[in-house]
Amino acid sequence: MKLICGCDPAAVRFYNKVLQALKAEGYDLEDVGCYSENAGHGGKFAEIATTVGQKVLADEDAFGFLMCGTGQGMAMAANKIPGIRATLCYDVLPAVLAKNDNNGNVLCTGAWMMEKKGLDYTMAVIHAWLFSNYTGTHEKGMAALKQLDAAKQ
């Protein structure tokens, strides 16, 4: 399973801890940055989210993982890309449902929230999302999302 990952300057420290844990578990990771807390906050989240989203769409076996301070900016930016179904999760149940029901292909979360909960908790949320599978139970909703994507293009 390939994960294409990115963060903005607000998340760099905790994001790097998460990436180390994912690497230790043997995931195939592509880190697109950002690499410094001093990279400037003005729109960096949108740039990184766009890069991750485009790479996810180009590789049908890949999923995306994005982290900023709250995760909200990353989710908003990633969802501007037709075909991306980015979901914002701070807990296990929404992570499972985001994949099971809505076939999410990019997981977004917030360093400011998750760091307080701890690395183990954050990894549990990521694992819940990664190991869930789309069930196909919400086909009408997925068709509606595809229509919205087509309207964007």
Side-chain angles (χ1 to χ4, degrees):
M1 181 181 302
K2 183 172 186 175
L3 284 174
I4 302 167
C5 308
C7 74
D8 80 350
V12 169
R13 277 184 280 140
F14 190 59
Y15 169 82
N16 285 330
K17 291 177 185 178
V18 171
L19 284 192
Q20 287 175 355
L22 289 167
K23 285 178 189 173
E25 292 179 0
Y27 288 97
D28 179 9
L29 302 178
E30 181 179 346
D31 179 13
V32 303
C34 103
Y35 307 108
S36 169
E37 293 176 72
N38 300 317
H41 292 276
K44 194 70 173 174
F45 71 92
E47 175 188 329
I48 297 293
T50 299
T51 300
V52 168
Q54 290 170 341
K55 287 179 174 279
V56 166
L57 291 175
D59 184 344
E60 65 184 40
D61 295 324
F63 291 99
F65 173 68
L66 290 166
M67 184 180 280
C68 63
T70 64
Q72 293 179 57
M74 287 294 196
M76 285 184 233
N79 279 321
K80 297 289 185 190
I81 303 166
I84 292 298
R85 295 172 306 281
T87 182
L88 176 61
C89 295
Y90 302 132
D91 203 349
V92 170
L93 181 60
V96 170
L97 295 176
K99 194 74 124 358
N100 284 355
D101 293 350
N102 300 344
N103 201 19
N105 55 8
V106 176
L107 174 64
C108 302
T109 196
W112 298 336
M113 288 66 149
M114 300 309 286
E115 190 168 25
K116 291 177 183 177
K117 294 179 179 185
L119 182 59
D120 288 341
Y121 185 86
T122 303
M123 294 304 292
V125 172
I126 294 169
H127 291 146
W129 186 77
L130 286 173
F131 295 119
S132 296
N133 292 304
Y134 180 54
T135 61
T137 57
H138 293 279
E139 285 302 316
K140 287 182 182 178
M142 295 307 299
L145 287 177
K146 287 179 183 175
Q147 286 179 342
L148 290 171
D149 282 344
K152 287 182 188 176
Q153 295 176 340

